[in-house]
Amino acid sequence: ASAYLKIADGCRRPCAFCAIPLIKGTTVSRPEEAILSEARVLQGMGVRELILIAQDTTDYGHDLGIKNGLAHLLQRLVSEVPDVDWIRILYAYPGYVTDELIETMARHAQILPYLDIPLQHAHPQTLRRMQRPANMDWVYKTLGKMRLALPDLAMRTTFIVGYPGETEQEFQTLVDFVKEMRFDRAGAFPFSFEPGTTSEALGDPVPPEVKDARYAMLMEAQQPISLARNQAWVGRTLDVLIEGQGDGISLGRSFRDAPEIDGMVILEEDVPVGEIVPVRITGAMAYDLSGVVDKTR
């Protein structure tokens, strides 16, 4: 019932830790008409959710001379595939979530109020060593605008811990940031040394045990936040896309959950796979929800 729709490949961002530009080269956007044609085929196959992917979805159209290319593409998709219930955006790059993109997401119910925006860190010095956007004022301002325009926004992000030169103070800034921003989902990875990347000159000086301890500490800080964000949905009704069933149990995802990386909604009843059903949420865990089909809707 879900399909990934690649809109571009490669990346022109200079992230010091990443080998993707070395492997794939710079961003190459697919022609808009090719994307729309594939989307129409998927709609004809009965796909309920299109998941837009690229190394950086917010860079879509730059090489084609299209300004605000992702927002423009979304507007075309909404018009071309009206029978696709959900359109989900993955892999947005910090600094390139524009006002037009936010307005487009807020205007169209098909476009899920979900954004995966890997921030990688919260300390400006660490971000500069990573060759990532280091303007944290932009992060606060943009996330504030998104949450105002999209009150139910589900935000996922990822971080790297143990990057070369990361001090205890820099790491604590990251932990404090996670506690303050209260992301729905946050993943973390201990830094992994990649030969040939710009960061090679920095080496890999943070000991593995320090990386592992920081990873555990960051995940420990995020877990109660994820639980509280889930608990806020208890008593409310969510549309859920059913993906599996058996032994009287059905598993599905809401708009808050991208496949394979986020949580599930668990129902103790059989619901046909591929259906989108209203589910009244009755229970919340750190990563998953449980509920029953809301027969009043």
Side-chain angles (χ1 to χ4, degrees), residues 161 168 171-172 175 178-179 188 210-224:
V161 298
E168 286 292 341
F171 173 69
Q172 188 59 50
V175 173
V178 165
K179 290 179 178 179
V210 174
K211 293 181 190 177
D212 291 344
R214 289 178 181 175
Y215 167 81
M217 190 180 303
L218 189 63
M219 290 293 91
E220 186 176 342
Q222 174 61 31
Q223 192 170 45

Side-chain angles (χ1 to χ4, degrees), residues 44-265:
M45 296 168 61
V47 165
R48 310 296 300 271
E49 175 188 36
L50 289 180
I51 304 168
L52 305 189
I53 57 169
Q55 272 71 45
D56 173 9
T57 53
T58 53
D59 204 27
Y60 175 75
H62 175 270
D63 55 317
L64 302 177
I66 305 172
K67 186 178 180 181
N68 276 312
L70 179 57
H72 184 267
L73 176 63
L74 286 165
Q75 290 163 14
R76 291 288 310 277
L77 279 168
V78 166
S79 174
E80 294 284 335
V81 289
D83 294 333
V84 172
D85 299 85
W86 293 353
I87 299 173
R88 185 184 301 275
I89 306 167
L90 295 187
Y91 317 131
Y93 191 82
Y96 292 85
V97 176
T98 63
D99 289 347
E100 185 173 352
L101 176 59
I102 296 171
E103 291 163 8
T104 300
M105 293 177 68
R107 193 183 317 127
H108 299 288
Q110 266 177 284
I111 305 170
L112 298 181
Y114 174 101
L115 198 65
D116 176 6
I117 181 168
L119 295 171
Q120 308 301 7
H121 213 277
H123 196 287
Q125 289 300 109
T126 313
L127 289 165
R128 291 188 185 100
R129 291 196 302 277
M130 291 178 167
Q131 296 179 206
R132 295 278 295 182
N135 183 354
M136 293 306 296
D137 287 340
W138 177 91
V139 174
Y140 285 104
K141 181 179 177 181
T142 301
L143 297 194
K145 284 194 293 188
M146 292 200 72
R147 284 173 166 164
L148 186 63
L150 301 157
D152 286 332
L153 176 70
M155 181 77 70
R156 153 170 282 285
T157 190
T158 49
F159 300 107
I160 294 173
V161 298
Y163 190 77
E166 183 188 57
T167 64
E168 286 292 341
Q169 180 185 0
E170 290 175 355
F171 173 69
Q172 188 59 50
T173 297
L174 173 58
V175 173
D176 293 342
F177 173 74
V178 165
K179 290 179 178 179
E180 179 183 3
M181 296 308 295
R182 301 185 65 78
F183 296 101
D184 292 78
R185 322 284 191 194
F189 302 91
F191 171 71
S192 177
F193 178 76
E194 291 283 350
T197 60
T198 309
S199 68
E200 185 171 13
L202 301 175
D204 193 7
V206 180
E209 60 272 19
V210 174
K211 293 181 190 177
D212 291 344
R214 289 178 181 175
Y215 167 81
M217 190 180 303
L218 189 63
M219 290 293 91
E220 186 176 342
Q222 174 61 31
Q223 192 170 45
I225 297 170
S226 294
L227 175 60
R229 300 288 288 184
N230 275 354
Q231 287 173 331
W233 286 92
V234 173
R236 298 180 64 183
T237 295
L238 280 169
D239 286 338
V240 173
L241 174 58
I242 304 300
E243 295 192 313
Q245 60 154 266
D247 298 326
I249 293 176
S250 300
L251 297 176
R253 292 182 293 107
S254 74
F255 79 90
R256 304 175 66 243
D257 309 302
E260 301 181 41
I261 56 174
D262 291 324
M264 304 290 293
V265 181

Side-chain angles (χ1 to χ4, degrees), residues 34-45:
I35 296 170
L36 296 173
S37 176
E38 184 175 345
R40 287 191 293 267
V41 170
L42 292 167
Q43 176 182 248
M45 296 168 61

Side-chain angles (χ1 to χ4, degrees), residues 244-251 267-271 273:
Q245 60 154 266
D247 298 326
I249 293 176
S250 300
L251 297 176
L267 293 81
E268 292 189 11
E269 52 193 303
D270 286 322
V271 182
V273 171

